Amino acid sequence: SEPIDDRGLFVRVYFQDGLMQNRMYSDGRSYSFYTYALEALSMMYQPQARSALILGLGAGVVPKHLAARGMKVTAVEIDPASFEVAKRFFGLDDRKVDGVQADARTYLRQCVGKYDVVVVDLFHGDGTPDYLVTRDFFADLRRCLTPGGVAVFNTFADLELPLAYAHFLTTLRAEFGHVLLHRDDDREARQVNSFVVASGESLRASPMRLDGVPSVYADELEQLYTNARQLDKSLTAGGQIITDARSAAATDLARVQMAYRREVVKNLPPAFLVN
């Protein structure tokens, strides 16, 4: 690879199951916007947080950053390879983060009132499995939080197929009651990172600024701080509550995944598409 700037920095990419999980500069800083967004939102809405649960390890950047803030951090990941990759290539120190190999749904069922923040970053390939977006899952998640605790979600939204995301938001609000969306829709991209904060109590943000954010993300992160959007009819129109027993949303969710897969096939070199 060629250096990406005049300091001679390179970027290391964690690509798994058709999804770019993370990117990191050779100096150890994350080169993925979502990692800064999840850290910032966690601290904005729970500035005194002492414990955090991360559902979905990826390269381990978010748990590493929250642990560096003095939190007791547990990271749950179903794929054992992710733990090895995070430690070997992305600087995760397993002495500071408690790693648990488990399915997120299974872990939440035995977790009651333990965490001030739960970060939900769950993807299998190019989408989130249906059983991780049901009201039953969100009920387990809510019980896992301390009183006043917050859940912070990293999700993808397809702006041309909004119905699938309306199902997700409608279901989440039915269980948590208080939901805010942080997203900038004023862009040309069709599929965008969409960050959501949910709690059983009213959400109030505190000022938060992060150090070491790449300059390429400075403006975008500033927009994230200021763009807190209440759910309205334009976001939830047609949305139905998804449960373990009944999901009328499966077809809509599948359409979004297929649209993403077409973009992957069109834009990635063929070598990346070989397992």
Side-chain angles (χ1 to χ4, degrees), residues 32-267:
S32 292
F33 175 75
Y34 81 88
T35 62
Y36 299 105
L38 292 176
E39 180 186 0
L41 291 172
S42 297
M43 300 310 301
M44 282 172 60
Y45 290 100
Q46 274 285 49
Q48 305 303 318
R50 292 183 288 182
S51 58
L53 173 66
I54 316 298
L55 299 178
L57 180 70
V61 171
V62 176
K64 180 173 67 174
H65 285 184
L66 295 182
R69 291 180 174 274
M71 291 192 207
K72 180 178 174 59
V73 179
T74 300
V76 175
E77 169 62 49
I78 197 171
D79 185 354
S82 289
F83 289 104
E84 181 61 27
V85 168
K87 289 186 291 184
R88 183 177 178 185
F89 298 107
F90 294 94
L92 180 68
D93 187 343
D94 58 6
R95 297 169 298 179
K96 298 179 180 179
V97 174
D98 181 21
V100 178
Q101 185 191 345
D103 177 78
R105 183 71 182 270
T106 302
Y107 183 87
L108 287 184
R109 282 177 174 163
Q110 50 83 40
C111 165
V112 178
K114 294 180 64 175
Y115 300 99
D116 299 320
V117 175
V118 177
V119 175
V120 185
D121 190 18
L122 294 170
F123 294 93
H124 183 265
D126 50 12
T128 301
D130 288 2
Y131 73 103
L132 299 177
V133 292
T134 68
R135 185 169 185 175
D136 310 74
F137 171 71
F138 295 146
D140 290 338
L141 174 58
R142 182 173 52 80
R143 285 191 292 269
C144 192
L145 290 165
T146 56
V150 299
V152 181
F153 294 78
N154 178 30
T155 67
F156 281 117
D158 188 318
L159 301 183
E160 294 184 14
L161 294 171
L163 185 56
Y165 207 72
H167 295 314
F168 162 70
L169 293 175
T170 299
T171 304
L172 184 63
R173 184 172 60 182
E175 189 57 41
F176 276 90
H178 301 274
V179 180
L180 291 176
L181 175 68
H182 286 262
R183 188 177 77 202
D184 180 11
D185 290 349
D186 186 20
R187 58 177 64 200
E188 295 181 359
R190 170 178 176 170
Q191 290 147 337
V192 298
N193 270 105
S194 188
F195 302 98
V196 179
V197 182
S199 178
E201 301 181 13
S202 296
L203 289 162
R204 184 172 301 172
S206 300
M208 165 56 53
R209 290 295 181 269
L210 302 184
D211 296 327
V213 177
S215 58
V216 67
Y217 294 139
D219 290 343
E220 192 173 357
L221 197 60
E222 183 64 30
Q223 289 295 318
L224 184 79
Y225 293 131
T226 57
N227 285 350
R229 184 176 175 184
Q230 299 279 352
L231 302 192
D232 56 31
K233 291 182 179 179
S234 68
L235 291 170
T236 59
Q240 299 186 41
I241 295 175
I242 306 169
T243 69
D244 286 349
R246 179 179 181 275
S247 173
T251 301
D252 299 313
L253 294 170
R255 287 194 183 100
V256 171
Q257 285 184 274
M258 289 306 300
Y260 177 80
R261 290 172 188 176
R262 292 188 188 99
E263 290 298 311
V264 169
V265 171
K266 181 173 68 176
N267 294 313

